[in-house]
Each structure stands twice: as C-alpha cells, then as structure tokens.
C-alpha cells in the first residue's frame, strides 16, 4: 500500500478511465469538450469564479509557469516562506531575472506577519513596490497548513498580486481561491489522479499582468491557455485528462463538505494513533494539515520508513532536505483519506516501534 503525500493511490475507476481509448486531442472535438468539462468541475472544487486552466505537466510546472508568466526582469517579488517549497519560489524568481525578497520563518513556526508587513511598507515607501507575492498553503515536507488569511489581507492592502501553491491542499480542505490571483494545484495529490497535470485558477488582474509581459517561453506560460477555442498550445495529455475527469467526478459525487470531513477524520485518527505511540508532531497541532501528518523522529525516519516497507509492504515518506531523516510523513489525502487505511499504516509503524 502506498500511503504517501503524493503521488497518491489511484482508484480503480480512475485507472480504467485512463486506460480507455482516447479522442485525439489535436483533432477531435470530443477531447476539447472533455477539457472544458474538467475546467468546469475544477472551478466547482476551487469554489471560484476565476478562469481555470489545466496545462500538461506535473505540478511543479504550475509554480514555475506562474513566475514565468508574471515576472519581468527586475520585478520585485515577495516570497513568503516557512518551508522548503516556499523557499523554492525565490529560486524560480531568480531564474527569470526577478528580484526575490525572501521573508522566511523557521520551518516549525507560522508566517512572520510583522516581517511581511514591514517588507511591504518599506517597499512602498521606497517607491519600489512588490509586483507579486508567493505563498504555500500546505508545506507538504513538514505537514504544515498555513493560515494565509492575514497575509492575503496585507497583500490586498498593498495591491500586490498573490501566487499560492495549493498543490497539497486543494481538494482536501478549503482554499480561499477567490482571494488569490493565481491558485495552483495538481492532479496527483488530493484528486488521486496520476501525475502529469497542473491546475490553475487565475484572476482577471493576473491575466492582465500576464498580457503586459513579453513571453519568454511557451511551455512555462499560462497565457496561451486562456483561450483554447482554436486549439491547445501543444498536444495535450489525453489519457491524463480522462483520468482527472474521472477523479473529479468522484469528489463531486461525494460532495466537498463530505470530502473535507473525511480528510479531517483521517488526520485526527492518524494523530491519535501517533500520540498513543508517543510520537510528536513536527508542526504544532493547530497548524497540522488535514492532508498529511509529519511525525518528528530525529535521526530515525529513514530506518522506520524502510522497515515498514520491508515488513508490511507499506510505502511511507520521510522529510526533505535537511529534515530527510528527522520526519516521517503519512499522506492521508485523496483516496487514502480513510480511517481504515490510516489504521493499517499506523499498525505497521507500531509494529516497527515495539
């Protein structure tokens, strides 16, 4: 059993949809109709009136494309971070010749609101304001769900565009999409479809900013996806779109309130079992994500991961970067947001710890 925070286990109906014969995405109108349906279904899951687009490419494409589509050389970008993915946004900004200012908090703490407010105020006073800011809703490597509301308040006050990585939260918990200018998701997390597709909900003012930028690429550019009535920018991933379509049908048939409650119940069970075993969460409980649990096991995570795989046939994840051997992660998201599956995974962890 795979119990990781992405790619998640793919349900049988989704695998079957992917295996079926597909219409030609370049020539047959049936594919364009399916793509339109997928975007409509995604808008319901995003709970947004913004345009939704689905380029072909794994979720990291969305993070880079957001920067490539918006950042001109010399543009100032505020990168708000308390984790590895938040830090990574600054690297994308640098690679497109923007000027990134990283306002970072420790990985085990929340955003530094005072530092964010100060950075915004000083930029305005200097006459060199930020064009956009980047945030991560769920920092998957540490199992942290960030409270973005106060930061979005500040960005609105200073008229700064917002770009949010919601890859590991979208479809598993509520995301304030209509307050976000570019809200990014992906097929392989809470949707439980195979990797290969980026999703993005894009506001009118973000589109306007993209129109002002001279494009530096085709593949890492959202703008060609705004209107695909005359065809897609490149050959789309037909089977992946079919799989995502089936995965979205599952979520909508269940109902989002039920989906979110299922994720909360799975997370609560995982943490209850962890507490019984004496395991400590890496983030504080109030910031722990409903989609992934990160237990703090300094120097022990990889050993436990390997033993669980060898002895129970269950794949878990560890942390990333400097925390690779200090965090053990269980991904109760999407198809795996299930209390019985949580118990099976935690039983395996318990057996290793005995």
């Amino acid at each position: 059993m795979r119990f990781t925070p992405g790619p998640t286990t793919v349900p049988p109906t989704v695998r079957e949809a992917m295996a079926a014969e597909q219409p030609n995405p370049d020539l047959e109108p049936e594919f364009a109709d399916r793509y339109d349906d997928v975007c409509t279904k995604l808008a319901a899951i995003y709970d947004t009136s913004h345009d939704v687009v689905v380029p072909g490419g794994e979720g990291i494409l969305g993070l880079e494309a957001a920067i490539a589509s918006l950042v001109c050389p010399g543009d100032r970008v505020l990168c708000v971070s308390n984790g590895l993915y938040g830090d990574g946004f600054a690297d994308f900004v640098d690679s497109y010749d923007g000027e990134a200012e990283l306002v970072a908090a420790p990985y085990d703490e929340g955003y530094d609101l005072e530092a964010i407010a100060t950075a915004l105020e000083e930029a305005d006073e200097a006459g060199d304001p930020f064009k956009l800011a980047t945030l991560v809703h769920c920092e998957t490597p540490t199992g942290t769900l960030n409270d973005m509301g106060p930061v979005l308040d500040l960005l609105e006050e200073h008229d700064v565009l917002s770009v949010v990585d919601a890859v590991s939260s979208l479809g598993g918990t509520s995301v304030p999409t209509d307050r976000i200018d570019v809200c990014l998701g992906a097929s392989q997390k809470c949707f439980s479809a195979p990797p290969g597709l980026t999703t993005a909900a894009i506001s009118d003012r973000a589109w306007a900013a993209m129109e002002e930028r001279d494009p530096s690429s085709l593949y890492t550019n959202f703008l060609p996806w705004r209107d695909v009535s005359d065809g897609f920018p490149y050959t789309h991933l037909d089977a992946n779109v079919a799989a995502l379509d089936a995965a979205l049908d599952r979520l909508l048939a269940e109902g989002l309130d039920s989906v979110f409650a299922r994720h909360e119940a799975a997370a609560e069970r995982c943490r209850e079992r962890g507490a019984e075993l004496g395991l400590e969460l890496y983030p504080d409980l109030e910031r722990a994500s409903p989609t992934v649990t990160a237990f703090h096991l300094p120097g022990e995570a990889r050993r436990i991961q390997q033993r669980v795989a060898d002895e129970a046939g269950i794949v878990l994840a560890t942390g990333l970067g400097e925390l690779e051997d200090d965090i053990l992660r269980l991904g109760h998201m999407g198809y795996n947001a299930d209390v019985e599956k949580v118990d099976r995974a935690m039983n395996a962890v318990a057996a290793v710890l005995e």
Side-chain angles (χ1 to χ4, degrees), residues 319-332:
L320 299 176
E322 295 181 358
L323 294 172
E324 181 182 4
D325 199 26
D326 296 334
I327 288 177
L328 185 71
R329 294 184 295 152
L330 289 83
H332 36 74

Side-chain angles (χ1 to χ4, degrees), residues 188-242:
Q188 77 272 19
K189 299 284 188 173
C190 298
F191 298 149
S192 289
L197 297 175
T198 284
T199 71
I202 302 175
S203 72
D204 288 343
R205 71 175 194 152
W207 284 127
M210 293 178 194
E211 293 278 5
E212 295 173 357
R213 192 207 190 289
D214 290 331
S216 59
S217 71
L218 170 67
Y219 198 74
T220 55
N221 186 0
F222 280 130
L223 200 54
W225 291 89
R226 188 176 191 182
D227 182 0
V228 294
S229 57
D230 292 329
F232 297 96
Y234 47 82
T235 299
H236 217 324
L237 284 68
D238 51 3
N240 287 75
V241 173

Side-chain angles (χ1 to χ4, degrees), residues 9 13 60 79 140 171 203 206 212 219-220 228 237 245 250 261 282 289 305 307 311 316 349:
T9 301
T13 55
I60 202 73
C79 299
T140 328
S203 72
E212 295 173 357
Y219 198 74
T220 55
V228 294
L237 284 68
D245 191 25
R250 287 175 51 86
Y282 183 81
S289 173
Q305 177 198 39
R307 284 195 59 189
E311 298 173 20
L316 306 179
V349 173

Side-chain angles (χ1 to χ4, degrees), residues 225-302:
W225 291 89
R226 188 176 191 182
D227 182 0
V228 294
S229 57
D230 292 329
F232 297 96
Y234 47 82
T235 299
H236 217 324
L237 284 68
D238 51 3
N240 287 75
V241 173
L244 179 58
D245 191 25
L248 298 176
D249 283 342
R250 287 175 51 86
L251 293 184
L252 293 172
E254 181 178 351
L256 290 182
D257 288 344
S258 175
V259 170
F260 296 164
R262 175 164 55 83
H263 280 77
E264 291 285 355
E268 183 177 354
R269 181 60 174 165
C270 189
R271 288 150 201 171
E272 286 176 352
R273 293 293 308 275
E276 292 169 0
L277 297 172
L279 300 179
E280 294 183 1
L281 291 176
Y282 183 81
D284 292 336
L285 181 60
E286 63 269 18
R287 292 188 295 104
S289 173
T291 61
V292 52
T293 290
F295 291 118
H296 194 205
L297 294 158
E300 294 291 316
R302 285 181 293 185

Side-chain angles (χ1 to χ4, degrees), residues 5-337:
T8 53
T9 301
V10 178
T13 55
V14 177
R15 294 199 304 268
E16 290 166 6
M18 191 174 191
E21 185 174 355
Q22 308 297 336
N24 186 306
D26 295 326
L27 300 172
E28 296 184 76
E30 290 84 359
F31 179 82
D33 291 342
R34 172 177 285 163
Y35 175 84
D36 288 343
D37 286 344
V38 164
C39 292
T40 298
K41 293 169 186 176
L42 278 168
I45 290 171
Y46 270 105
D47 191 21
T48 186
S49 58
H50 293 169
D51 293 339
V52 176
V53 297
V54 186
E58 192 272 335
I60 202 73
L61 169 71
L63 278 64
E64 181 170 355
I67 301 304
S69 302
L70 288 168
V71 176
C72 302
D75 281 346
R76 299 195 67 207
V77 180
L78 181 66
C79 299
V80 177
S81 177
N82 62 345
L84 188 68
Y85 289 155
D87 292 348
F89 262 125
D91 295 331
F92 284 130
V93 173
D94 290 341
S95 69
Y96 286 91
D97 297 322
E99 296 182 9
E101 181 169 334
L102 183 65
V103 179
Y107 285 9
D108 59 351
E109 296 182 9
Y111 288 146
D112 188 340
L113 290 175
E114 184 175 346
I116 296 166
T118 298
L120 289 164
E121 290 165 4
E122 290 180 349
D124 286 353
E125 290 170 0
D128 192 13
F130 293 104
K131 181 177 183 180
L132 65 137
T134 62
L135 305 87
V136 177
H137 193 203
C138 175
E139 271 287 355
T140 328
T142 58
T144 299
L145 189 75
N146 286 308
D147 179 7
M148 298 186 297
V151 182
L152 294 174
D153 289 341
L154 288 170
L155 298 181
E156 290 168 4
E157 179 183 338
H158 291 269
D159 196 28
V160 175
L161 291 166
S162 54
V163 173
V164 172
D165 170 359
V167 168
S168 296
S169 56
L170 184 66
T173 191
S174 179
V175 180
T177 309
D178 274 347
R179 299 191 64 196
I180 298 167
D181 290 295
V182 180
C183 188
L184 302 163
S187 56
Q188 77 272 19
K189 299 284 188 173
C190 298
F191 298 149
S192 289
L197 297 175
T198 284
T199 71
I202 302 175
S203 72
D204 288 343
R205 71 175 194 152
W207 284 127
M210 293 178 194
E211 293 278 5
E212 295 173 357
R213 192 207 190 289
D214 290 331
S216 59
S217 71
L218 170 67
Y219 198 74
T220 55
N221 186 0
F222 280 130
L223 200 54
W225 291 89
R226 188 176 191 182
D227 182 0
V228 294
S229 57
D230 292 329
F232 297 96
Y234 47 82
T235 299
H236 217 324
L237 284 68
D238 51 3
N240 287 75
V241 173
L244 179 58
D245 191 25
L248 298 176
D249 283 342
R250 287 175 51 86
L251 293 184
L252 293 172
E254 181 178 351
L256 290 182
D257 288 344
S258 175
V259 170
F260 296 164
R262 175 164 55 83
H263 280 77
E264 291 285 355
E268 183 177 354
R269 181 60 174 165
C270 189
R271 288 150 201 171
E272 286 176 352
R273 293 293 308 275
E276 292 169 0
L277 297 172
L279 300 179
E280 294 183 1
L281 291 176
Y282 183 81
D284 292 336
L285 181 60
E286 63 269 18
R287 292 188 295 104
S289 173
T291 61
V292 52
T293 290
F295 291 118
H296 194 205
L297 294 158
E300 294 291 316
R302 285 181 293 185
R303 180 184 65 82
I304 294 170
Q305 177 198 39
Q306 190 61 55
R307 284 195 59 189
V308 168
D310 291 343
E311 298 173 20
I314 296 175
V315 181
L316 306 179
T318 62
L320 299 176
E322 295 181 358
L323 294 172
E324 181 182 4
D325 199 26
D326 296 334
I327 288 177
L328 185 71
R329 294 184 295 152
L330 289 83
H332 36 74
M333 60 172 64
Y335 191 49
N336 277 349

